[in-house]
Amino acid sequence: MPRPYLKDNSQQCRARKIKCDGHQPTCLRCQRASRNCEWSNGSAREPQQSKSPVSLSQGFSATRPRSTEYVSTKDPEKALQDPHVAEIFRFYFEHLAGWYDLNDAKRHFGDVVPSCARKNSLLLSAILAFAAAAQSSCYLKRDLWDLAESYHLESVQALLRLTKDLDEFKTGETLAAICLLRSYEIISQNVSCQNHLQGSYSLLASRPAALETELLSAGFWNYLREDITVALIEKRSLMIELSHEHLPPAVRGEDDLANRITYLLGKVINRCLDRDASPLEQYEWESYKDDLGKWRASLPASFEPICTPGLHGESKFPCLWTVSGWHASSLQYYHTALIILSIAKPIRGDMNTLQQIDRISAFENELQGHAIQVSALAISSNSAPVWVNSFGPISFCGPWLKDCQKTFELINETQTWGSKTGWPVMSIVESLSRSGI
């Protein structure tokens, strides 16, 4: 296949009268649309590199791209010589990698993944697809989105090629790329369109992640958290099955406790939110509740939130902040699991009407109490990784708030987090708005 190259600014696609991305023999945009690629009015040339300095002030408004030309990642080191590619790559590990390292003390996605991407074209293209999409969502720049689509297509094509050699496919780098591409799907607001990624994950899941390399294990926990987020928003079971072999064999650090509650929540979701599942038996309910109780009792004092009234100004929620992101996310998962179990609790059939009224009142108060905890931990945090991981729990738990003022505050905060992270929050806001009416 001829090497892709860049065209000058005068080269256009005849059919669409827009600039061609230069991929030969068929540009990536035309490949996606399954149409013939016809271009004219220009000849190939090497791109001129901009000499303007890179602006990297704090926050998501920092990077301002120079150009949106597609540069293939077939040779990762060569691709990273392009200033624009380098800016997008840096944006990933400076602003986005923390989403993945939320529960990882060893920072695999912030430190190991970027290093691997310098040699792994699939990993680099996945990083560029996700990072360009995130920036596009923040800046509302269509040209960056076109670039993100090009790198997404390149990543999917690379995944398909890798499936021909499963020994090469079953690596931590591949699973890390799948996690990044799943984030791309979410950022692009195609939350449910993850079939090819599910198929890719299934090939990797034939061996338990806990028995594999550290990067494979880190990728598994990220994939599971992403699965939990979408499942809670869509109120369904996970796309993956969980076995006891996935559970961390021993608790060696606080991040293992964070992974353990992730596993427990995943098990509760799969049992209780499966549309075809039978109601919980009493013994099952007690077993899940006991597992959650044991996890909560095992937490060191460092997990306890600090209550500082007024720390974040006026708020209808208590100010409950933690010293680590995984403390907040773990407690949110714990309260979310308890809400699901409360809803799934087997109901006695011998209650009279007044007893049922009392039960319903106590039930609503219990759900609201958990929802307040989930919301407060997000609102009191200044961490983008915590906000992103909160979207699933907030979507599921937030509607149980009975105070309209709390609901409106949570809606406003959710919209702010969405604008800061590029995460699509409209479905969450709509769900909260319906409950606040």
Side-chain angles (χ1 to χ4, degrees):
M1 176 177 176
R3 181 178 65 87
Y5 62 95
L6 306 178
K7 295 180 172 65
D8 65 22
N9 291 337
S10 65
Q11 191 159 302
Q12 294 186 339
C13 174
R14 286 181 182 147
R16 301 176 67 195
K17 296 185 179 180
I18 63 171
K19 185 178 174 185
C20 182
D21 62 26
H23 199 95
Q24 293 292 309
T26 303
C27 77
L28 295 175
R29 291 173 183 168
C30 289
Q31 283 187 44
R32 287 194 297 272
S34 300
R35 63 171 158 256
N36 293 330
C37 181
E38 298 180 7
W39 48 269
S40 63
N41 301 328
S43 57
R45 70 177 186 182
E46 291 298 321
Q48 297 297 316
Q49 293 186 355
S50 169
K51 300 298 183 182
S52 60
V54 179
S55 173
L56 287 174
S57 57
Q58 69 180 33
F60 269 78
S61 60
T63 305
R64 284 295 183 268
R66 299 184 178 92
S67 160
T68 53
E69 294 287 3
Y70 166 76
V71 178
S72 174
T73 62
K74 192 171 184 180
D75 182 341
E77 287 291 353
K78 184 175 181 181
L80 288 169
Q81 292 172 17
D82 181 275
H84 184 45
V85 171
E87 284 183 12
I88 299 174
F89 183 60
R90 287 179 59 175
F91 188 87
Y92 160 73
F93 60 77
E94 290 175 355
H95 298 291
L96 303 176
W99 299 12
Y100 300 91
D101 289 333
L102 175 63
N103 291 353
D104 186 359
K106 295 185 178 179
R107 292 173 42 88
H108 284 91
F109 276 76
D111 295 334
V112 177
V113 165
S115 295
C116 292
R118 296 184 61 181
K119 301 176 291 183
N120 187 307
S121 60
L122 167 61
L123 199 48
L124 179 58
S125 61
I127 287 173
L128 297 177
F130 168 45
Q135 291 181 82
S136 174
S137 183
C138 287
Y139 306 148
L140 302 178
K141 291 177 70 69
R142 180 66 206 180
D143 51 356
L144 265 176
W145 178 245
D146 289 342
L147 194 63
E149 285 185 318
S150 296
Y151 284 118
H152 176 253
L153 177 60
E154 187 175 35
S155 300
V156 172
Q157 290 172 338
L159 272 177
L160 292 174
R161 287 194 298 270
L162 278 177
T163 58
K164 297 175 182 177
D165 186 342
L166 291 185
D167 288 334
E168 264 191 62
F169 185 85
K170 292 185 175 183
T171 66
E173 289 88 346
T174 302
L175 184 51
I178 291 171
C179 291
L180 292 161
L181 292 173
R182 199 167 196 204
S183 293
Y184 165 90
E185 300 276 13
I186 293 172
I187 289 289
S188 69
Q189 304 193 41
N190 292 323
V191 176
S192 300
C193 299
Q194 301 168 29
N195 292 334
H196 59 279
L197 298 184
Q198 169 61 13
S200 297
Y201 174 78
S202 298
L203 290 173
L204 281 159
S206 58
R207 293 177 293 181
L211 303 179
E212 300 291 347
T213 66
E214 288 190 348
L215 183 54
L216 250 177
S217 181
F220 166 76
W221 291 114
N222 272 284
Y223 191 93
L224 177 55
R225 289 206 312 275
E226 288 176 324
D227 209 2
I228 285 173
T229 295
V230 179
L232 290 174
I233 291 173
E234 297 187 344
K235 295 178 177 57
R236 59 162 175 78
S237 57
L238 304 178
M239 294 177 71
I240 60 175
E241 295 292 331
L242 290 174
S243 70
H244 191 73
E245 293 174 307
H246 288 125
L247 191 64
V251 176
R252 292 182 289 270
E254 288 189 350
D255 51 345
D256 288 328
L257 287 168
N259 288 334
R260 184 171 286 265
I261 190 60
T262 303
Y263 169 85
L264 293 176
L265 173 58
K267 293 289 286 184
V268 168
I269 288 173
N270 274 352
R271 179 62 182 90
C272 300
L273 300 188
D274 184 347
R275 294 190 181 278
D276 298 324
S278 59
L280 280 184
E281 299 288 345
Q282 184 67 32
Y283 77 90
E284 289 182 285
W285 186 87
E286 290 175 356
S287 176
Y288 285 120
K289 191 75 180 291
D290 186 54
D291 287 341
L292 291 170
K294 288 178 180 177
W295 177 86
R296 186 67 177 87
S298 72
L299 297 183
S302 56
F303 269 78
E304 292 299 327
I306 302 170
C307 184
T308 310
L311 180 64
H312 289 282
E314 298 269 338
S315 176
K316 296 296 180 182
F317 292 93
C319 180
L320 301 175
W321 59 281
T322 60
V323 297
S324 173
W326 62 51
H327 297 154
S329 64
S330 297
L331 292 171
Q332 286 178 319
Y333 276 6
Y334 168 72
H335 287 288
T336 302
L338 286 178
I339 277 189
I340 296 173
L341 281 184
S342 295
I343 298 170
K345 185 176 181 179
I347 301 175
R348 285 170 40 203
D350 58 349
M351 289 187 183
N352 62 32
T353 302
L354 293 179
Q355 289 174 326
Q356 287 283 18
I357 291 173
D358 291 340
R359 183 192 67 80
I360 291 171
S361 178
F363 170 72
E364 290 178 343
N365 289 334
E366 180 182 0
L367 296 188
Q368 179 175 233
H370 293 306
I372 288 173
Q373 293 290 310
V374 168
S375 304
L377 287 163
I379 290 172
S380 301
S381 176
N382 288 324
S383 166
V386 170
W387 297 335
V388 169
N389 204 69
S390 298
F391 289 138
I394 284 173
S395 178
F396 191 90
C397 304
W400 296 103
L401 294 170
K402 295 194 293 183
D403 185 330
C404 288
Q405 290 183 317
K406 283 187 173 70
T407 299
F408 292 150
E409 181 179 344
L410 184 58
I411 288 172
N412 290 333
E413 293 290 345
T414 300
Q415 290 173 325
T416 299
W417 302 329
S419 65
K420 288 184 176 181
T421 62
W423 222 91
V425 297
M426 186 54 64
S427 64
I428 302 172
V429 168
E430 290 175 352
S431 176
L432 294 173
S433 298
R434 287 192 295 271
S435 69
I437 296 175

